[in-house]
Amino acid sequence: MKRLIYPSPVEISKALERPSAGIGDIDIIVKEVLARVRAEGDVALREFSLKFDGFAPASFKVEESSFQEAEKHVPEKIRDAMRAALASITAFHTAQLQEPETVETTKGVKCWSRDLAIEKVGLYIPGGTAPLFSTLLMLAIPARLAGCRDIILCTPPGKDGKINPLILYTASLCGVTAIYTIGGAQAIAAMAYGTESIPAVCKIFGPGNRYVTRAKELVQLEGIAIDMPAGPSELLVIADESANPSFVAADLISQAEHGTDSQVIMLTDSRAMMEKVQREVEEQVMKIGRSDIAGKSLANSSLILLPDLDECIRVSNLYAPEHLIIATYNPYIHASAVVNAGSVFLGNYSSESTGDYMTGPNHTLPTSGYARSWSGLTTNSFRKRVFFQEVTARGLRVIGPATELLAGAEMLEGHRNAVSVRLKYLNDEQN
Amino acid sequence: MKRLIYPSPVEISKALERPSAGIGDIDIIVKEVLARVRAEGDVALREFSLKFDGFAPASFKVEESSFQEAEKHVPEKIRDAMRAALASITAFHTAQLQEPETVETTKGVKCWSRDLAIEKVGLYIPGGTAPLFSTLLMLAIPARLAGCRDIILCTPPGKDGKINPLILYTASLCGVTAIYTIGGAQAIAAMAYGTESIPAVCKIFGPGNRYVTRAKELVQLEGIAIDMPAGPSELLVIADESANPSFVAADLISQAEHGTDSQVIMLTDSRAMMEKVQREVEEQVMKIGRSDIAGKSLANSSLILLPDLDECIRVSNLYAPEHLIIATYNPYIHASAVVNAGSVFLGNYSSESTGDYMTGPNHTLPTSGYARSWSGLTTNSFRKRVFFQEVTARGLRVIGPATELLAGAEMLEGHRNAVSVRLKYLNDEQN
């Protein structure tokens, strides 16, 4: 890790730069995939699946029997741990189901809202070595709580041509309504446009490689909603001398192991802490299986010594980290000054990894500084708010004349007239 | 308007098709504007402003004195009506500021959320004949209620080179922090990237022509948040024989006058009502100033006779209208069956135009079927939710082992280790 001792603003900006991945020729490939799946449906799906992922199942849809079998292949201990995660995540996401406002804004003008489920949602879980069942928990639980009618999952199979039993078990645990063995940009295309075997959805959620991410961005331009823009994972730790250097180092490494483009940053007001953490990182990183990956992303990452903790918070807000650990004497004081962050962990025992599985809040969070304007996923990410209003005759007598005036000032006569015909009717009736 | 009598599903689909506007060569122009404003700042802004809008002010920023002058140019009656609108909109949007959840998901694991203001937001209001101050009310009021620090407005001037006093007065009424005389895609570029005179913002709101809309879509691909995808305005009315045909016709015309690409649809179970509304539309449309525009969009629009009101609601949910008026004997029953809509108006006296100005809910709403997955604007559109969690030593003893198991199952050793080092420390401490 790089060390910066009381850096200048320019040096800070440079250290906070995110590793960038160009679009390159991804766009050409993804656009072709989208266009062809749209035009040709399953035929194109099969072709791209064979070409990019090396498989093309007879049927994309996973049979009901595979769901039931999956449980047998998941050790009981893991099932117990998953059910514990399910309970925490459900508790937190249920609390998000608040009753929206009802307001009589004027006598006779009643206004209210209802949060209605998005009927059809599509979840994507990438393949690869690690089966990301925790992300499936984080997507499917709020989808079910929101009341989505169709919750479909697309995920590519492993080398054996089958979907990992951990994923199948999680899907059955969380109420996923259908699973399709398909990955990549072609899976996103299928969920956006629909094919003979895969239904179109209204909103697409979940992480993926650069092709998947780009496909989501491009279908969004066509009016398919997506969860949020994606980027590499990141962690910022603010630690003072009360922190435990071994814990801090373990947290930095845990985020660094996600991918070579991950970024971790420690801000501290203690030079001694900075040095201890650096030694701990060097020792601990050698002991994990993914030390190659972690080593590369740590090379992109910095330990930064700043004059005081207020300055640490200021720099953190500038960076807008996906994950923020505050390991200080009084983390509550510093947490109250947070302006931009995805998810914040307070104190020495709140490891970021507890948040990935067990604490309860969603782990699908804004990266790359998007925390300045985006939220992490909530149950409401699977719903939309609809407004309602009822204007009675009495209410119209109050707000009608002002509506006529304002519509007139905007030179929208038709808008004005829609009130005028009603007020005239009411006046005629009265006389 | 077209008339469809008990149409087949295929005929219904055809009638519900939205008028589509291709991207055409817009993309080339907008991409050049974005790239050049990003690279050259104010110089490019000035050039494009002169080229597309025919003006290039010495300074883009509007002087404080212009704010104060504006009030004088707005008649007192209009000012009173605006303040009434301000009160209703404020009441409804204040009620949206609910306290988010706090949950102890496990003993020793406390989780909560905070809704924090997006620090810098940019509002866009188009120029043209009608000064859309009502949209400025709908954007600036929730921005201020959310607590946004910088609320900037970009809007092009009229033919006299000046911004309409109605816009300036509204801006001062609602707490806009700075106004810039600039329109078009170049205004969006300025707010996305920042220039010497216009600061970059984190999220951009507001309607515009196809260049503005496309610019918003393209900067979103670069991580600048936008309010929602935009499309032409639309209204669907469900009317039974209890409706007033004159009111229904006035409502249809009021939406049709927005632009030639607007779309209005009436669904009814009463043939007599359909015929009366048609006659009323033909009469009333001749009387408004924008009858040319309204006439063209009415030609794209349909009156549809269906077997019963349940079928009307089903078709409405399929269409997912921006605005939905339910003018039936018992509108509450039908409103409870709404699945997809932006904003719903109940009963004979709730004209859609009252919602544009006076009822209280936001009038920035999802068009083009986006109501299937997008919400209208709320105060929360100007905030983002940040998650917090505190795991105590006691809490970690409970959720730590499950976290270790699940991280292990995802083959993320670093994640597991971040818990293990803490549990080991706690065990060593105990012994």
Side-chain angles (χ1 to χ4, degrees):
Chain A
M1 294 181 80
K2 298 171 216 156
R3 283 160 53 117
L4 285 86
I5 315 286
Y6 303 129
S8 69
V10 173
E11 288 169 319
I12 290 175
S13 292
K14 213 175 140 51
L16 299 186
E17 264 174 26
R18 264 96 178 173
S20 76
I23 296 297
D25 53 0
I26 284 184
D27 242 27
I28 297 165
I29 296 168
V30 173
K31 280 178 182 168
E32 193 205 335
V33 170
L34 294 178
R36 289 208 38 218
V37 171
R38 181 170 216 165
E40 300 166 36
D42 280 354
V43 170
L45 270 195
R46 216 160 250 124
E47 184 185 321
F48 289 123
S49 190
L50 198 61
K51 181 173 166 189
F52 296 128
D53 293 337
F55 73 93
S59 162
F60 290 111
K61 189 163 184 179
V62 175
E63 293 297 324
E64 197 64 39
S65 58
S66 305
F67 275 65
Q68 288 151 2
E69 258 177 58
E71 186 168 348
K72 292 182 222 155
H73 297 99
V74 178
E76 199 184 334
K77 271 192 169 180
I78 301 282
R79 278 186 272 138
D80 287 345
M82 264 197 211
R83 277 192 292 264
L86 176 74
S88 291
I89 299 166
T90 300
F92 192 73
H93 288 77
T94 300
Q96 290 169 341
L97 295 165
Q98 295 183 327
E99 193 62 37
E101 63 284 349
T102 297
V103 184
E104 196 175 39
T105 52
T106 305
K107 269 277 175 225
V109 181
K110 189 176 142 196
C111 304
W112 68 102
S113 300
R114 282 173 63 207
D115 290 323
L116 300 177
I118 298 174
E119 284 189 287
K120 303 168 196 176
V121 298
L123 317 181
Y124 184 81
I125 298 291
T129 46
L132 286 183
F133 60 83
S134 66
T135 300
L136 183 52
L137 287 167
M138 292 291 181
L139 299 178
I141 292 171
R144 194 179 49 176
L145 290 174
C148 300
R149 193 187 67 193
D150 298 336
I151 306 170
I152 72 168
L153 167 66
C154 286
T155 191
K159 281 179 185 156
D160 59 356
K162 288 185 182 165
I163 293 173
N164 191 302
L166 285 163
I167 296 288
L168 290 176
Y169 175 68
T170 309
S172 68
L173 192 67
C174 300
V176 166
T177 56
I179 307 180
Y180 301 92
T181 310
I182 180 88
Q186 58 272 21
I188 304 303
M191 293 194 280
Y193 308 129
T195 71
E196 297 88 330
S197 36
I198 301 176
V201 300
C202 305
K203 191 168 183 178
I204 299 173
F205 299 79
N209 62 21
R210 295 196 294 155
Y211 295 87
V212 167
T213 298
R214 191 63 183 164
K216 283 171 66 188
E217 289 172 354
L218 292 177
V219 299
Q220 188 183 27
L221 285 183
E222 301 172 36
I224 314 298
I226 65 169
D227 43 4
M228 70 182 78
S233 200
E234 59 199 26
L235 167 69
L236 189 148
V237 181
I238 298 177
D240 65 12
E241 57 181 13
S242 76
N244 181 314
S246 160
F247 299 177
V248 173
D251 291 328
L252 294 172
I253 292 167
S254 77
Q255 260 337 79
E257 78 174 339
H258 269 299
T260 53
D261 53 1
S262 299
Q263 191 176 47
V264 294
I265 287 169
M266 182 181 83
L267 308 178
T268 183
D269 63 345
S270 157
R271 189 156 187 159
M273 181 56 59
M274 182 167 84
E275 275 158 16
K276 284 183 211 159
V277 169
Q278 183 161 34
R279 276 197 302 274
E280 279 284 342
V281 167
E282 284 161 9
E283 273 177 36
Q284 287 186 31
V285 73
M286 304 311 297
K287 296 181 192 160
I288 63 161
R290 296 163 75 99
S291 58
D292 273 13
I293 294 172
K296 278 182 192 149
S297 49
L298 287 168
N300 273 328
S301 300
S302 307
L303 305 164
I304 307 180
L305 180 64
L306 295 170
D308 54 45
L309 291 172
D310 287 347
E311 181 66 5
C312 292
I313 280 287
R314 198 191 64 79
V315 170
S316 173
N317 284 331
L318 202 66
Y319 184 69
E322 180 192 16
H323 302 104
L324 168 62
I325 294 178
I326 305 180
T328 58
Y329 272 122
N330 191 337
Y332 275 85
I333 287 183
H334 306 298
S336 70
V338 168
V339 174
N340 297 317
S343 197
V344 184
F345 298 78
L346 281 75
N348 280 331
Y349 295 102
S350 307
S351 82
E352 185 280 326
S353 60
T354 59
D356 283 336
Y357 303 98
M358 291 298 303
T359 54
N362 212 286
H363 80 198
T364 306
L365 298 166
T367 56
S368 311
Y370 300 135
R372 294 182 196 104
S373 40
W374 268 274
S375 312
L377 286 192
T378 69
T379 309
N380 290 324
S381 307
F382 296 83
R383 308 197 291 178
K384 71 268 178 176
R385 182 160 288 192
V386 182
F387 305 134
F388 293 84
Q389 51 244 289
E390 186 188 36
V391 182
T392 63
R394 177 184 178 177
L396 194 69
R397 285 202 183 90
V398 182
I399 67 167
T403 305
E404 290 180 303
L405 272 166
L406 296 178
E410 283 193 345
M411 293 184 251
L412 294 170
E413 279 181 50
H415 284 58
R416 184 175 59 193
N417 187 54
V419 171
S420 306
V421 292
R422 288 169 164 94
L423 287 179
K424 184 173 178 306
Y425 176 89
L426 288 173
N427 284 336
D428 291 351
E429 208 183 31
Q430 213 163 21
N431 301 330
Chain B
M1 292 182 82
K2 298 170 215 157
R3 283 160 51 116
L4 285 87
I5 316 285
Y6 302 128
S8 69
V10 172
E11 288 169 319
I12 290 176
S13 292
K14 213 173 141 51
L16 300 186
E17 264 175 27
R18 264 98 178 171
S20 76
I23 295 298
D25 53 1
I26 285 184
D27 242 28
I28 297 164
I29 296 168
V30 173
K31 280 179 181 166
E32 193 205 336
V33 170
L34 293 178
R36 288 208 40 219
V37 171
R38 181 170 214 165
E40 299 165 36
D42 279 354
V43 171
L45 269 195
R46 217 161 248 122
E47 184 185 320
F48 289 122
S49 190
L50 198 61
K51 181 173 167 189
F52 297 128
D53 294 337
F55 73 93
S59 162
F60 290 112
K61 190 164 184 178
V62 174
E63 294 296 324
E64 196 64 39
S65 57
S66 305
F67 275 65
Q68 287 150 4
E69 261 178 55
E71 186 167 349
K72 292 182 221 154
H73 298 100
V74 178
E76 199 183 334
K77 272 192 169 179
I78 302 280
R79 277 187 272 138
D80 288 344
M82 263 197 213
R83 276 191 292 263
L86 176 74
S88 291
I89 300 166
T90 300
F92 192 73
H93 287 77
T94 301
Q96 291 169 340
L97 295 164
Q98 295 182 327
E99 193 62 38
E101 64 284 349
T102 298
V103 184
E104 194 174 40
T105 52
T106 304
K107 270 277 175 227
V109 181
K110 191 177 142 196
C111 304
W112 68 102
S113 300
R114 283 173 62 207
D115 290 323
L116 300 177
I118 299 173
E119 284 189 289
K120 303 170 198 175
V121 297
L123 316 181
Y124 184 81
I125 298 290
T129 46
L132 286 182
F133 59 83
S134 65
T135 300
L136 184 52
L137 286 167
M138 293 291 181
L139 299 178
I141 292 172
R144 194 179 49 176
L145 289 174
C148 300
R149 193 187 67 194
D150 297 337
I151 305 170
I152 72 167
L153 166 67
C154 286
T155 192
K159 281 179 184 157
D160 59 355
K162 286 183 183 168
I163 294 173
N164 191 300
L166 285 162
I167 296 287
L168 291 177
Y169 174 68
T170 309
S172 69
L173 193 66
C174 300
V176 166
T177 55
I179 306 180
Y180 301 92
T181 310
I182 180 89
Q186 58 273 22
I188 303 303
M191 292 194 280
Y193 309 128
T195 71
E196 297 88 329
S197 37
I198 301 177
V201 300
C202 305
K203 191 168 182 177
I204 299 174
F205 298 79
N209 62 19
R210 294 197 295 155
Y211 295 87
V212 167
T213 297
R214 192 63 184 166
K216 283 172 65 188
E217 289 172 354
L218 292 177
V219 299
Q220 188 184 28
L221 286 183
E222 301 172 34
I224 314 298
I226 65 170
D227 44 4
M228 69 181 79
S233 200
E234 58 200 26
L235 167 68
L236 189 147
V237 181
I238 297 176
D240 65 12
E241 57 182 12
S242 76
N244 182 314
S246 160
F247 299 176
V248 173
D251 291 328
L252 294 172
I253 292 167
S254 77
Q255 260 337 81
E257 79 174 340
H258 269 299
T260 54
D261 53 1
S262 299
Q263 193 176 46
V264 295
I265 288 169
M266 182 181 81
L267 308 179
T268 183
D269 63 346
S270 158
R271 190 157 187 156
M273 182 55 58
M274 183 167 81
E275 276 157 16
K276 283 183 212 159
V277 169
Q278 184 161 35
R279 277 197 301 275
E280 279 284 341
V281 166
E282 284 161 9
E283 274 176 38
Q284 287 186 31
V285 74
M286 305 310 297
K287 296 180 194 160
I288 62 161
R290 295 163 75 101
S291 58
D292 272 13
I293 293 172
K296 279 182 191 151
S297 47
L298 287 167
N300 273 329
S301 299
S302 308
L303 304 164
I304 307 180
L305 179 64
L306 294 171
D308 55 45
L309 291 172
D310 286 348
E311 182 66 4
C312 293
I313 280 286
R314 199 192 63 79
V315 170
S316 173
N317 283 332
L318 204 64
Y319 184 69
E322 180 192 16
H323 303 103
L324 168 62
I325 293 179
I326 305 179
T328 59
Y329 273 121
N330 190 337
Y332 275 85
I333 287 182
H334 306 298
S336 71
V338 168
V339 173
N340 297 316
S343 197
V344 184
F345 298 78
L346 281 74
N348 281 329
Y349 295 102
S350 307
S351 82
E352 185 280 327
S353 61
T354 58
D356 283 336
Y357 303 98
M358 291 297 304
T359 53
N362 212 286
H363 80 198
T364 305
L365 297 166
T367 56
S368 310
Y370 300 137
R372 294 181 197 107
S373 40
W374 268 273
S375 311
L377 285 192
T378 69
T379 309
N380 289 326
S381 308
F382 296 84
R383 307 196 293 178
K384 73 267 178 177
R385 181 160 288 190
V386 181
F387 305 134
F388 293 84
Q389 51 244 290
E390 186 189 37
V391 183
T392 63
R394 178 183 178 176
L396 193 69
R397 285 202 182 91
V398 180
I399 66 167
T403 305
E404 290 179 304
L405 272 166
L406 296 178
E410 283 193 345
M411 293 184 250
L412 294 170
E413 278 181 51
H415 284 60
R416 184 175 60 193
N417 187 54
V419 171
S420 305
V421 293
R422 286 168 163 97
L423 288 179
K424 184 173 180 304
Y425 175 90
L426 288 172
N427 284 335
D428 290 352
E429 207 182 33
Q430 215 165 19
N431 300 329

